[in-house]
Amino acid sequence: MQDVPVRASATTRVLDRVGIPAPLFLGFVGVLLFMIGDGVESNYLSPFLVDNQGFSESAAAITISLYGIFVAVGSWLAGTLSAVLGPRKVMVLGAISWVVFEALFLVVGVGMDVHWVAVAAYTVRGIGYPFFAYAFLVWINTATPAHQRGSSVGWFWFVFGAGLPTLGSLVASWTIPHIGEVGTFWLATVLVVVGACVALFGVRDRTHAGPEPDAAGWGELTKGLTIIWRSPRVSAGAVVRLVNTTPNFALFVVAPFWFTEQIGFSQGQYLQIVTIVYTANVFANLAFGIIGDRFGWQRTVTWFGCVMCAVGLLLLFYIPQVVGPNFAVLTLCWAVFGIGLAGFVPLTALVPALVPVKDRGSALAVYTLAAGLSSFLGPVLVGLLGGTANMTVLIWSFVAMYLLGAVLCVVLRSKEDPVRMRAAADEESREPVRV
């Protein structure tokens, strides 16, 4: 009896057309819900610790910095552990650690007013979202065909950024007046649990859910570090990823002072501009995933990422000094930079494609480590370079970083880059048929 081919459902065809592998669809939904829950606290945790828990501002800042260290460590381990245990198990570990330590933070640290428990629990919870989200990113990279991978990682960064901090902050603004800050923390926990369940029980793909066949057991942890010198191109890609958001995190520190005190915007106007720009960035993440699959991963990162960000920084620094506190002008200038940040999206597909399949978990580990470290390097550079007092030096230093990134992109060439794959296919089709 001859096998009858099974036609893809209409839903599967639509998902495939927009760049989402149908078996992973509910994983994207789960990550969105999880990151909304994680992002709920992003704009009110520090004031909550100071005003409600009696923390000093420095103690609150130290707590959040310690949390950031664990985010960076979790970002590195997520890729490596996914190769050893499989991305699904790492996602389970991330969800459990998030919920357990959040409950400890709320029940003992906040509820019983035990500060050291609050600090310790919140700090360790920092591994939760990188384990969950970045392990799913590994899953995407191993399960998605090369021609669709740029679009898929674009969708990943779309749901990631839509949750943290965009929709998370929006949820908090709605719920705090009605159920209070602590109630909102608990609501965030519910969202995280629901998101984890949707992803872990909804994803149908099991082929790529387990360990990599050639993974070197727990020696994979060592590989996650040695790949830095075993594969210089992966290191170059990690540097480009570090360049991607380091200036952005620096702007979060100095821009509020520069644009309100030096240019003349009110705080409310400034916050509205930031909201508009980073909402545009979320949608640009999706767009550049699709563009990368058509224009080429390397070319997209070079021109729409590095070069566009360099131009955007110069525009948002110099143009407002000429025209003054003009809302529309600053929004447009900053949007060039914000959209340029999304031009780096195809780098997520490009870096793992630089190495054999057995090393891709390690390559992603270095990539996500660079993503985590950028949140530290940006503020550090602001301090070292003198902050708003030396704004010109700061801006030109970051422009130089982006131009260096563009130069490094020259070595980021992969046979799986869609442009090179299409060129190879065209070349093969032009070869004469031999009889």
PDB file of all heavy atoms in Angstrom, residues 102-132:
ATOM      1  N   GLU A 102      11.356  33.336  43.657  1.00  0.00           N
ATOM      2  CA  GLU A 102      10.426  34.455  43.754  1.00  0.00           C
ATOM      3  C   GLU A 102       9.506  34.280  44.968  1.00  0.00           C
ATOM      4  O   GLU A 102       9.230  35.234  45.703  1.00  0.00           O
ATOM      5  CB  GLU A 102       9.585  34.564  42.475  1.00  0.00           C
ATOM      6  CG  GLU A 102       8.566  35.685  42.484  1.00  0.00           C
ATOM      7  CD  GLU A 102       9.162  37.071  42.311  1.00  0.00           C
ATOM      8  OE1 GLU A 102      10.411  37.198  42.323  1.00  0.00           O
ATOM      9  OE2 GLU A 102       8.386  38.043  42.167  1.00  0.00           O
ATOM     10  N   ALA A 103       9.044  33.036  45.180  1.00  0.00           N
ATOM     11  CA  ALA A 103       8.194  32.769  46.354  1.00  0.00           C
ATOM     12  C   ALA A 103       8.971  33.015  47.639  1.00  0.00           C
ATOM     13  O   ALA A 103       8.436  33.591  48.611  1.00  0.00           O
ATOM     14  CB  ALA A 103       7.677  31.333  46.296  1.00  0.00           C
ATOM     15  N   LEU A 104      10.231  32.609  47.663  1.00  0.00           N
ATOM     16  CA  LEU A 104      11.072  32.836  48.844  1.00  0.00           C
ATOM     17  C   LEU A 104      11.277  34.331  49.073  1.00  0.00           C
ATOM     18  O   LEU A 104      11.213  34.832  50.209  1.00  0.00           O
ATOM     19  CB  LEU A 104      12.422  32.134  48.647  1.00  0.00           C
ATOM     20  CG  LEU A 104      13.340  31.999  49.865  1.00  0.00           C
ATOM     21  CD1 LEU A 104      12.665  31.191  50.969  1.00  0.00           C
ATOM     22  CD2 LEU A 104      14.655  31.333  49.457  1.00  0.00           C
ATOM     23  N   PHE A 105      11.502  35.062  47.992  1.00  0.00           N
ATOM     24  CA  PHE A 105      11.654  36.517  48.062  1.00  0.00           C
ATOM     25  C   PHE A 105      10.403  37.172  48.651  1.00  0.00           C
ATOM     26  O   PHE A 105      10.488  38.031  49.538  1.00  0.00           O
ATOM     27  CB  PHE A 105      11.937  37.054  46.650  1.00  0.00           C
ATOM     28  CG  PHE A 105      11.861  38.540  46.508  1.00  0.00           C
ATOM     29  CD1 PHE A 105      12.870  39.360  46.991  1.00  0.00           C
ATOM     30  CD2 PHE A 105      10.775  39.133  45.866  1.00  0.00           C
ATOM     31  CE1 PHE A 105      12.801  40.749  46.848  1.00  0.00           C
ATOM     32  CE2 PHE A 105      10.697  40.511  45.714  1.00  0.00           C
ATOM     33  CZ  PHE A 105      11.716  41.318  46.212  1.00  0.00           C
ATOM     34  N   LEU A 106       9.233  36.747  48.178  1.00  0.00           N
ATOM     35  CA  LEU A 106       7.986  37.385  48.599  1.00  0.00           C
ATOM     36  C   LEU A 106       7.537  36.951  49.993  1.00  0.00           C
ATOM     37  O   LEU A 106       7.119  37.788  50.802  1.00  0.00           O
ATOM     38  CB  LEU A 106       6.882  37.081  47.581  1.00  0.00           C
ATOM     39  CG  LEU A 106       7.044  37.724  46.203  1.00  0.00           C
ATOM     40  CD1 LEU A 106       5.978  37.214  45.244  1.00  0.00           C
ATOM     41  CD2 LEU A 106       6.995  39.242  46.300  1.00  0.00           C
ATOM     42  N   VAL A 107       7.616  35.656  50.277  1.00  0.00           N
ATOM     43  CA  VAL A 107       7.087  35.137  51.547  1.00  0.00           C
ATOM     44  C   VAL A 107       8.009  35.485  52.712  1.00  0.00           C
ATOM     45  O   VAL A 107       7.563  36.008  53.745  1.00  0.00           O
ATOM     46  CB  VAL A 107       6.866  33.614  51.459  1.00  0.00           C
ATOM     47  CG1 VAL A 107       6.468  33.054  52.831  1.00  0.00           C
ATOM     48  CG2 VAL A 107       5.792  33.290  50.430  1.00  0.00           C
ATOM     49  N   VAL A 108       9.305  35.202  52.555  1.00  0.00           N
ATOM     50  CA  VAL A 108      10.244  35.408  53.664  1.00  0.00           C
ATOM     51  C   VAL A 108      10.894  36.793  53.584  1.00  0.00           C
ATOM     52  O   VAL A 108      10.878  37.554  54.550  1.00  0.00           O
ATOM     53  CB  VAL A 108      11.334  34.314  53.686  1.00  0.00           C
ATOM     54  CG1 VAL A 108      12.298  34.526  54.853  1.00  0.00           C
ATOM     55  CG2 VAL A 108      10.694  32.925  53.769  1.00  0.00           C
ATOM     56  N   GLY A 109      11.472  37.118  52.414  1.00  0.00           N
ATOM     57  CA  GLY A 109      12.189  38.381  52.295  1.00  0.00           C
ATOM     58  C   GLY A 109      11.307  39.591  52.470  1.00  0.00           C
ATOM     59  O   GLY A 109      11.610  40.500  53.256  1.00  0.00           O
ATOM     60  N   VAL A 110      10.156  39.627  51.754  1.00  0.00           N
ATOM     61  CA  VAL A 110       9.239  40.767  51.820  1.00  0.00           C
ATOM     62  C   VAL A 110       8.229  40.597  52.947  1.00  0.00           C
ATOM     63  O   VAL A 110       8.049  41.483  53.791  1.00  0.00           O
ATOM     64  CB  VAL A 110       8.512  40.958  50.472  1.00  0.00           C
ATOM     65  CG1 VAL A 110       7.421  42.013  50.582  1.00  0.00           C
ATOM     66  CG2 VAL A 110       9.515  41.352  49.381  1.00  0.00           C
ATOM     67  N   GLY A 111       7.558  39.432  52.987  1.00  0.00           N
ATOM     68  CA  GLY A 111       6.497  39.219  53.968  1.00  0.00           C
ATOM     69  C   GLY A 111       6.973  39.247  55.404  1.00  0.00           C
ATOM     70  O   GLY A 111       6.295  39.791  56.290  1.00  0.00           O
ATOM     71  N   MET A 112       8.154  38.644  55.655  1.00  0.00           N
ATOM     72  CA  MET A 112       8.699  38.596  57.017  1.00  0.00           C
ATOM     73  C   MET A 112       9.770  39.657  57.247  1.00  0.00           C
ATOM     74  O   MET A 112      10.388  39.707  58.316  1.00  0.00           O
ATOM     75  CB  MET A 112       9.273  37.205  57.306  1.00  0.00           C
ATOM     76  CG  MET A 112       8.251  36.094  57.217  1.00  0.00           C
ATOM     77  SD  MET A 112       8.984  34.474  57.591  1.00  0.00           S
ATOM     78  CE  MET A 112       7.571  33.398  57.299  1.00  0.00           C
ATOM     79  N   ASP A 113      10.021  40.467  56.207  1.00  0.00           N
ATOM     80  CA  ASP A 113      10.960  41.587  56.312  1.00  0.00           C
ATOM     81  C   ASP A 113      12.373  41.133  56.677  1.00  0.00           C
ATOM     82  O   ASP A 113      13.051  41.752  57.488  1.00  0.00           O
ATOM     83  CB  ASP A 113      10.448  42.612  57.331  1.00  0.00           C
ATOM     84  CG  ASP A 113      11.030  44.006  57.075  1.00  0.00           C
ATOM     85  OD1 ASP A 113      11.394  44.280  55.910  1.00  0.00           O
ATOM     86  OD2 ASP A 113      11.136  44.796  58.035  1.00  0.00           O
ATOM     87  N   VAL A 114      12.821  40.033  56.041  1.00  0.00           N
ATOM     88  CA  VAL A 114      14.181  39.532  56.254  1.00  0.00           C
ATOM     89  C   VAL A 114      15.016  39.953  55.043  1.00  0.00           C
ATOM     90  O   VAL A 114      14.967  39.318  53.982  1.00  0.00           O
ATOM     91  CB  VAL A 114      14.199  38.003  56.414  1.00  0.00           C
ATOM     92  CG1 VAL A 114      15.610  37.512  56.727  1.00  0.00           C
ATOM     93  CG2 VAL A 114      13.226  37.561  57.502  1.00  0.00           C
ATOM     94  N   HIS A 115      15.779  41.023  55.220  1.00  0.00           N
ATOM     95  CA  HIS A 115      16.449  41.631  54.074  1.00  0.00           C
ATOM     96  C   HIS A 115      17.452  40.709  53.401  1.00  0.00           C
ATOM     97  O   HIS A 115      17.525  40.670  52.164  1.00  0.00           O
ATOM     98  CB  HIS A 115      17.139  42.926  54.513  1.00  0.00           C
ATOM     99  CG  HIS A 115      16.188  44.071  54.687  1.00  0.00           C
ATOM    100  ND1 HIS A 115      16.583  45.381  54.814  1.00  0.00           N
ATOM    101  CD2 HIS A 115      14.836  44.106  54.752  1.00  0.00           C
ATOM    102  CE1 HIS A 115      15.535  46.168  54.957  1.00  0.00           C
ATOM    103  NE2 HIS A 115      14.459  45.412  54.934  1.00  0.00           N
ATOM    104  N   TRP A 116      18.217  39.970  54.174  1.00  0.00           N
ATOM    105  CA  TRP A 116      19.262  39.147  53.543  1.00  0.00           C
ATOM    106  C   TRP A 116      18.646  38.032  52.704  1.00  0.00           C
ATOM    107  O   TRP A 116      19.192  37.655  51.658  1.00  0.00           O
ATOM    108  CB  TRP A 116      20.231  38.582  54.584  1.00  0.00           C
ATOM    109  CG  TRP A 116      19.677  37.478  55.457  1.00  0.00           C
ATOM    110  CD1 TRP A 116      19.097  37.599  56.671  1.00  0.00           C
ATOM    111  CD2 TRP A 116      19.685  36.084  55.149  1.00  0.00           C
ATOM    112  NE1 TRP A 116      18.721  36.372  57.162  1.00  0.00           N
ATOM    113  CE2 TRP A 116      19.079  35.422  56.246  1.00  0.00           C
ATOM    114  CE3 TRP A 116      20.139  35.314  54.074  1.00  0.00           C
ATOM    115  CZ2 TRP A 116      18.909  34.044  56.297  1.00  0.00           C
ATOM    116  CZ3 TRP A 116      19.976  33.946  54.116  1.00  0.00           C
ATOM    117  CH2 TRP A 116      19.376  33.315  55.213  1.00  0.00           C
ATOM    118  N   VAL A 117      17.486  37.535  53.123  1.00  0.00           N
ATOM    119  CA  VAL A 117      16.789  36.527  52.321  1.00  0.00           C
ATOM    120  C   VAL A 117      16.249  37.160  51.041  1.00  0.00           C
ATOM    121  O   VAL A 117      16.320  36.575  49.960  1.00  0.00           O
ATOM    122  CB  VAL A 117      15.652  35.871  53.129  1.00  0.00           C
ATOM    123  CG1 VAL A 117      14.819  34.947  52.225  1.00  0.00           C
ATOM    124  CG2 VAL A 117      16.210  35.083  54.303  1.00  0.00           C
ATOM    125  N   ALA A 118      15.706  38.377  51.169  1.00  0.00           N
ATOM    126  CA  ALA A 118      15.201  39.077  49.985  1.00  0.00           C
ATOM    127  C   ALA A 118      16.317  39.262  48.961  1.00  0.00           C
ATOM    128  O   ALA A 118      16.130  38.999  47.760  1.00  0.00           O
ATOM    129  CB  ALA A 118      14.620  40.424  50.392  1.00  0.00           C
ATOM    130  N   VAL A 119      17.489  39.695  49.431  1.00  0.00           N
ATOM    131  CA  VAL A 119      18.623  39.921  48.524  1.00  0.00           C
ATOM    132  C   VAL A 119      19.091  38.607  47.900  1.00  0.00           C
ATOM    133  O   VAL A 119      19.274  38.503  46.680  1.00  0.00           O
ATOM    134  CB  VAL A 119      19.784  40.607  49.267  1.00  0.00           C
ATOM    135  CG1 VAL A 119      21.021  40.680  48.378  1.00  0.00           C
ATOM    136  CG2 VAL A 119      19.378  42.003  49.727  1.00  0.00           C
ATOM    137  N   ALA A 120      19.285  37.575  48.743  1.00  0.00           N
ATOM    138  CA  ALA A 120      19.794  36.298  48.246  1.00  0.00           C
ATOM    139  C   ALA A 120      18.819  35.645  47.273  1.00  0.00           C
ATOM    140  O   ALA A 120      19.213  35.161  46.201  1.00  0.00           O
ATOM    141  CB  ALA A 120      20.078  35.358  49.423  1.00  0.00           C
ATOM    142  N   ALA A 121      17.526  35.633  47.624  1.00  0.00           N
ATOM    143  CA  ALA A 121      16.533  34.965  46.774  1.00  0.00           C
ATOM    144  C   ALA A 121      16.393  35.689  45.440  1.00  0.00           C
ATOM    145  O   ALA A 121      16.365  35.055  44.375  1.00  0.00           O
ATOM    146  CB  ALA A 121      15.193  34.905  47.495  1.00  0.00           C
ATOM    147  N   TYR A 122      16.320  37.015  45.487  1.00  0.00           N
ATOM    148  CA  TYR A 122      16.169  37.765  44.246  1.00  0.00           C
ATOM    149  C   TYR A 122      17.407  37.611  43.365  1.00  0.00           C
ATOM    150  O   TYR A 122      17.312  37.494  42.138  1.00  0.00           O
ATOM    151  CB  TYR A 122      15.911  39.242  44.542  1.00  0.00           C
ATOM    152  CG  TYR A 122      15.687  40.051  43.293  1.00  0.00           C
ATOM    153  CD1 TYR A 122      14.489  39.955  42.592  1.00  0.00           C
ATOM    154  CD2 TYR A 122      16.682  40.889  42.784  1.00  0.00           C
ATOM    155  CE1 TYR A 122      14.279  40.671  41.423  1.00  0.00           C
ATOM    156  CE2 TYR A 122      16.472  41.614  41.620  1.00  0.00           C
ATOM    157  CZ  TYR A 122      15.278  41.500  40.956  1.00  0.00           C
ATOM    158  OH  TYR A 122      15.076  42.191  39.788  1.00  0.00           O
ATOM    159  N   THR A 123      18.580  37.594  43.983  1.00  0.00           N
ATOM    160  CA  THR A 123      19.829  37.441  43.227  1.00  0.00           C
ATOM    161  C   THR A 123      19.859  36.107  42.486  1.00  0.00           C
ATOM    162  O   THR A 123      20.111  36.057  41.276  1.00  0.00           O
ATOM    163  CB  THR A 123      21.033  37.533  44.180  1.00  0.00           C
ATOM    164  OG1 THR A 123      21.075  38.844  44.759  1.00  0.00           O
ATOM    165  CG2 THR A 123      22.321  37.268  43.435  1.00  0.00           C
ATOM    166  N   VAL A 124      19.591  35.011  43.192  1.00  0.00           N
ATOM    167  CA  VAL A 124      19.672  33.685  42.577  1.00  0.00           C
ATOM    168  C   VAL A 124      18.576  33.501  41.528  1.00  0.00           C
ATOM    169  O   VAL A 124      18.765  32.793  40.540  1.00  0.00           O
ATOM    170  CB  VAL A 124      19.591  32.583  43.657  1.00  0.00           C
ATOM    171  CG1 VAL A 124      19.636  31.195  43.024  1.00  0.00           C
ATOM    172  CG2 VAL A 124      20.743  32.733  44.647  1.00  0.00           C
ATOM    173  N   ARG A 125      17.446  34.174  41.708  1.00  0.00           N
ATOM    174  CA  ARG A 125      16.371  34.089  40.720  1.00  0.00           C
ATOM    175  C   ARG A 125      16.826  34.597  39.357  1.00  0.00           C
ATOM    176  O   ARG A 125      16.194  34.327  38.333  1.00  0.00           O
ATOM    177  CB  ARG A 125      15.170  34.916  41.204  1.00  0.00           C
ATOM    178  CG  ARG A 125      13.838  34.490  40.591  1.00  0.00           C
ATOM    179  CD  ARG A 125      12.863  35.642  40.534  1.00  0.00           C
ATOM    180  NE  ARG A 125      13.162  36.550  39.452  1.00  0.00           N
ATOM    181  CZ  ARG A 125      12.569  37.709  39.261  1.00  0.00           C
ATOM    182  NH1 ARG A 125      11.665  38.137  40.123  1.00  0.00           N
ATOM    183  NH2 ARG A 125      12.898  38.480  38.240  1.00  0.00           N
ATOM    184  N   GLY A 126      17.956  35.317  39.339  1.00  0.00           N
ATOM    185  CA  GLY A 126      18.477  35.863  38.088  1.00  0.00           C
ATOM    186  C   GLY A 126      18.797  34.820  37.030  1.00  0.00           C
ATOM    187  O   GLY A 126      18.832  35.139  35.844  1.00  0.00           O
ATOM    188  N   ILE A 127      19.031  33.562  37.429  1.00  0.00           N
ATOM    189  CA  ILE A 127      19.310  32.535  36.414  1.00  0.00           C
ATOM    190  C   ILE A 127      18.038  32.056  35.735  1.00  0.00           C
ATOM    191  O   ILE A 127      18.091  31.394  34.705  1.00  0.00           O
ATOM    192  CB  ILE A 127      20.056  31.320  37.014  1.00  0.00           C
ATOM    193  CG1 ILE A 127      19.153  30.565  38.002  1.00  0.00           C
ATOM    194  CG2 ILE A 127      21.363  31.740  37.656  1.00  0.00           C
ATOM    195  CD1 ILE A 127      19.723  29.230  38.439  1.00  0.00           C
ATOM    196  N   GLY A 128      16.872  32.387  36.310  1.00  0.00           N
ATOM    197  CA  GLY A 128      15.617  31.811  35.850  1.00  0.00           C
ATOM    198  C   GLY A 128      15.261  32.143  34.421  1.00  0.00           C
ATOM    199  O   GLY A 128      15.075  31.255  33.578  1.00  0.00           O
ATOM    200  N   TYR A 129      15.172  33.456  34.104  1.00  0.00           N
ATOM    201  CA  TYR A 129      14.721  33.785  32.752  1.00  0.00           C
ATOM    202  C   TYR A 129      15.753  33.462  31.677  1.00  0.00           C
ATOM    203  O   TYR A 129      15.366  33.035  30.566  1.00  0.00           O
ATOM    204  CB  TYR A 129      14.206  35.226  32.668  1.00  0.00           C
ATOM    205  CG  TYR A 129      15.188  36.277  32.221  1.00  0.00           C
ATOM    206  CD1 TYR A 129      15.645  36.327  30.908  1.00  0.00           C
ATOM    207  CD2 TYR A 129      15.651  37.269  33.096  1.00  0.00           C
ATOM    208  CE1 TYR A 129      16.537  37.299  30.481  1.00  0.00           C
ATOM    209  CE2 TYR A 129      16.527  38.241  32.675  1.00  0.00           C
ATOM    210  CZ  TYR A 129      16.975  38.248  31.373  1.00  0.00           C
ATOM    211  OH  TYR A 129      17.857  39.212  30.954  1.00  0.00           O
ATOM    212  N   PRO A 130      17.075  33.601  31.928  1.00  0.00           N
ATOM    213  CA  PRO A 130      18.011  33.181  30.872  1.00  0.00           C
ATOM    214  C   PRO A 130      17.928  31.680  30.589  1.00  0.00           C
ATOM    215  O   PRO A 130      17.996  31.269  29.431  1.00  0.00           O
ATOM    216  CB  PRO A 130      19.387  33.561  31.434  1.00  0.00           C
ATOM    217  CG  PRO A 130      19.116  34.611  32.446  1.00  0.00           C
ATOM    218  CD  PRO A 130      17.786  34.257  33.044  1.00  0.00           C
ATOM    219  N   PHE A 131      17.799  30.865  31.648  1.00  0.00           N
ATOM    220  CA  PHE A 131      17.662  29.430  31.430  1.00  0.00           C
ATOM    221  C   PHE A 131      16.440  29.136  30.561  1.00  0.00           C
ATOM    222  O   PHE A 131      16.506  28.354  29.619  1.00  0.00           O
ATOM    223  CB  PHE A 131      17.533  28.701  32.771  1.00  0.00           C
ATOM    224  CG  PHE A 131      18.843  28.288  33.378  1.00  0.00           C
ATOM    225  CD1 PHE A 131      20.017  28.960  33.098  1.00  0.00           C
ATOM    226  CD2 PHE A 131      18.906  27.218  34.261  1.00  0.00           C
ATOM    227  CE1 PHE A 131      21.227  28.593  33.662  1.00  0.00           C
ATOM    228  CE2 PHE A 131      20.106  26.819  34.830  1.00  0.00           C
ATOM    229  CZ  PHE A 131      21.279  27.509  34.534  1.00  0.00           C
ATOM    230  N   PHE A 132      15.318  29.755  30.903  1.00  0.00           N
ATOM    231  CA  PHE A 132      14.075  29.459  30.180  1.00  0.00           C
ATOM    232  C   PHE A 132      14.124  30.014  28.758  1.00  0.00           C
ATOM    233  O   PHE A 132      13.887  29.290  27.788  1.00  0.00           O
ATOM    234  CB  PHE A 132      12.889  30.046  30.936  1.00  0.00           C
ATOM    235  CG  PHE A 132      11.555  29.660  30.357  1.00  0.00           C
ATOM    236  CD1 PHE A 132      10.959  28.464  30.715  1.00  0.00           C
ATOM    237  CD2 PHE A 132      10.902  30.480  29.444  1.00  0.00           C
ATOM    238  CE1 PHE A 132       9.732  28.088  30.172  1.00  0.00           C
ATOM    239  CE2 PHE A 132       9.677  30.116  28.898  1.00  0.00           C
ATOM    240  CZ  PHE A 132       9.091  28.916  29.263  1.00  0.00           C
TER     241      PHE A 132
END
